[in-house]
Amino acid sequence: MKKQDHISSGYWLNRIAAHYNSDPFKANPLKVLKAFFNYAGRAEQIKAFDDFCRAALKDSYSWQHGSPANALHYGEQLELLIEACYLVHQQAAQHPSKPYNLVAVPVTEFPMLLTSKEFSNPMAFLADFFEKRSLRRWKKWLRLFTTATLSNGSVAEEMEATHIFIFIQYLKKLVYAASRLLALQEG
């Protein structure tokens, strides 16, 4: 990454900068991911994300998990997840990748949205995630979902159906990939 690209992407890492009160490029993205999953495990995060999306898709306010501040907080947590995964992806791009072996997905991991390749090498999914859309675009879509979750309108009024589908599917897969990445780091 060129120095100018590095500086300009720093502006898109505002959630980590604000949350940790430091330069986002000096933050340890694995610690950010660990904090995300310490708050709630992967299955709970997926359920919370499903609830978040359902509320965003309704034509009326329908957040069911306490005050609207809870929805806002969850949107901020998702933003931290996206930014941390971006940093992991950027750090990996600076180092040659190690070969990986395909592993069978254990039955305990199902249901699983990741392919066998992505499960074996979650960095492959991160590369695909940030190739599919830029960090800026993922964050813009997340903002639209968060706003819709907190309002009487549906995110469908602001986004095309294909973009809604991509956002939901890829964010769910991001939760799985981040969880798997941590498991590989710890194991």
Side-chain angles (χ1 to χ4, degrees), residues 133-151:
R133 297 292 185 267
S134 67
L135 172 63
R136 185 176 142 264
R137 177 59 55 107
W138 288 116
K139 289 181 56 148
K140 179 180 178 185
W141 286 352
L142 175 60
R143 183 180 49 79
L144 291 172
F145 264 77
T146 303
T147 301
T149 299
L150 296 167
S151 74

Side-chain angles (χ1 to χ4, degrees), residues 62-175:
S62 63
W63 179 251
Q64 301 292 315
H65 301 283
S67 76
N70 293 348
L72 183 60
H73 176 72
Y74 189 66
E76 291 171 350
Q77 292 302 302
L78 290 171
E79 189 174 4
L80 283 169
L81 171 72
I82 293 168
E83 288 182 7
C85 288
Y86 177 80
L87 287 172
V88 169
H89 168 65
Q90 290 301 312
Q91 290 171 359
Q94 295 173 358
H95 304 289
S97 62
K98 302 174 200 171
Y100 66 93
N101 297 321
L102 283 177
V103 295
V105 179
V107 170
T108 56
E109 294 292 328
F110 286 102
M112 172 62 64
L113 293 174
L114 300 177
T115 65
S116 182
K117 177 184 175 187
E118 293 165 345
F119 181 82
S120 301
N121 181 13
M123 295 306 296
F125 173 74
L126 292 185
D128 184 45
F129 185 85
F130 290 108
E131 272 181 32
K132 187 85 170 158
R133 297 292 185 267
S134 67
L135 172 63
R136 185 176 142 264
R137 177 59 55 107
W138 288 116
K139 289 181 56 148
K140 179 180 178 185
W141 286 352
L142 175 60
R143 183 180 49 79
L144 291 172
F145 264 77
T146 303
T147 301
T149 299
L150 296 167
S151 74
N152 288 326
S154 170
V155 73
E157 297 168 8
E158 302 292 327
M159 290 176 71
E160 295 177 24
T162 55
H163 292 164
I164 292 171
F165 178 78
I166 290 168
F167 177 81
I168 292 170
Q169 288 305 108
Y170 271 74
L171 255 290
K172 277 186 179 183
K173 287 180 78 165
L174 188 67
V175 171

Side-chain angles (χ1 to χ4, degrees), residues 24 26-33 87 91:
K26 293 182 180 172
N28 181 340
L30 294 176
K31 285 186 179 178
V32 176
L33 294 177
L87 287 172
Q91 290 171 359

